[in-house]
Structure formats: structure tokens, C-alpha cells
Amino acid sequence: MKKLAVFASGNGSNYEAIAAACAGGVLDAEVAVLVCDHTDAYAIQRAAKFGTPVFAFCPKDYASKAEYEAEIVSLLDSKGIDLVCLAGYMRIIGDVLLKAYSGKIINIHPSLLPAFRGAHAVEQAVEYGVKVYGITIHWVDQTLDGGKIIAQEAFHYDGNDPEEVHRIGQVIEHKLYIETINKILCER
């Protein structure tokens, strides 16, 4: 059985979708650890429901990004992680983690990359007035939301409410992320 690490910073709905897919046999994998950079994130409560071990940390408690990433790498290595799935993890992955898990880190992003990179993609897209939104899953590299695209799904929306776009997108995210993780795991 393949082992996943899911990284989240907040709500954790994508974590829960992945964990539920594992528990239900949709994914032949287990979430071996949830890594969270906020000790009060709701994702931690979701992880408790599934019995997923959690590594929650405060980046300010470390001298550098390299220091906390070295601790994360050690943890991932100890659990035999096959794939790292970023799911609303709001930190840029640094050199330590990238080097250790090169080609094994994916991210989900709420836009049709390469358009609207960064933390406020939906708000930027709404402000710009786009009519076709989407979700992208990509490999993580040194660039901000710039790694090679693995999967995308578009949807039409002709309004101006970022929260509604997020709600519509989240339904697509959960399905597309599971399908993509399954495809990657089957190829390994």
C-alpha cells in the first residue's frame, strides 16, 4: 500500500477527501501523516476523525525554513512516504524538501495555470472578469505554481462572487485530486 503525506494550512477539506478515498478503498493508499503549519488549523480536527498522525508546527519556532523542512524530511523518510500532496498548504516549498522529494510533490491550485498564480488566484480571476475558471494539479518545483501540469478541469461561471467560485471549485478539486493521485500511484 502506498503512503501519502498531505500538507495543509487551514480547513483541510482536500485532506478529508483524500483520507476518505483511502478509507473507502477508492485509493490503494493511506495518509500516513498530515503536516500542518498552523497548530490550530481545522485540518487537525479532520485528521483526528481518521486517526491520521499529525505533525503540526509553528514556523517561527525554527531558525529557518531549512531547519523545519529538515525535520519534515526526516519524518517523511521515517514513514516511507511515496507521494506528498499539498492541499491548501500556504507555504512555498524550499530547497531542502524539494531536493529530498523531487518528483514526488504535487499541488492543487484553484485556477487554470499558468494564469493566476499565488495565494489569491480566485479573487484575481474574479477581478479580471474571467468567465472560465478551473482547477490545476501540478508537480511542485522551484517556481511559484509553475511546475509541470498533470491535470486540469475548467468550469464556467458568470458572476462576481469569489466565495461561490471557491465552492464550485472545491467540488471539482476533491474529485480531480483523487483521480490524479490514483493515476500517479498506479504509474509508480
Side-chain angles (χ1 to χ4, degrees), residues 8-9 12 25 31 49 52 62 70 89 93 108 146 148 157 160 164 178-180 186:
S9 292
V31 179
K49 290 192 315 188
T52 302
Y62 295 84
Y89 185 66
I93 301 298
I108 191 160
K148 185 175 179 179
Y157 174 74
N160 62 0
E164 188 172 8
I178 300 310
E179 291 170 357
T180 304
C186 287

Side-chain angles (χ1 to χ4, degrees), residues 19-80:
C22 291
V26 175
L27 287 173
D28 187 19
E30 69 170 310
V31 179
V33 65
L34 171 71
V35 174
C36 191
D37 63 334
H38 292 283
T39 57
D40 61 348
Y42 188 67
I44 296 168
Q45 292 178 40
R46 291 181 190 263
K49 290 192 315 188
F50 287 92
T52 302
V54 174
F55 174 68
F57 68 101
C58 180
K60 292 179 182 179
D61 292 343
Y62 295 84
S64 66
K65 178 183 285 216
E67 186 178 306
Y68 69 72
E69 283 196 348
E71 188 169 343
I72 292 170
V73 166
S74 179
L75 172 68
L76 300 182
D77 288 349
S78 74
K79 295 195 174 283

Side-chain angles (χ1 to χ4, degrees), residues 106-134:
I106 61 174
N107 183 43
I108 191 160
H109 185 75
S111 80
L112 292 173
L113 291 173
F116 307 111
R117 297 176 187 203
H120 303 288
V122 169
E123 291 76 10
Q124 292 169 18
V126 168
E127 185 176 309
Y128 201 81
V130 303
K131 303 301 178 212
V132 178
Y133 293 80

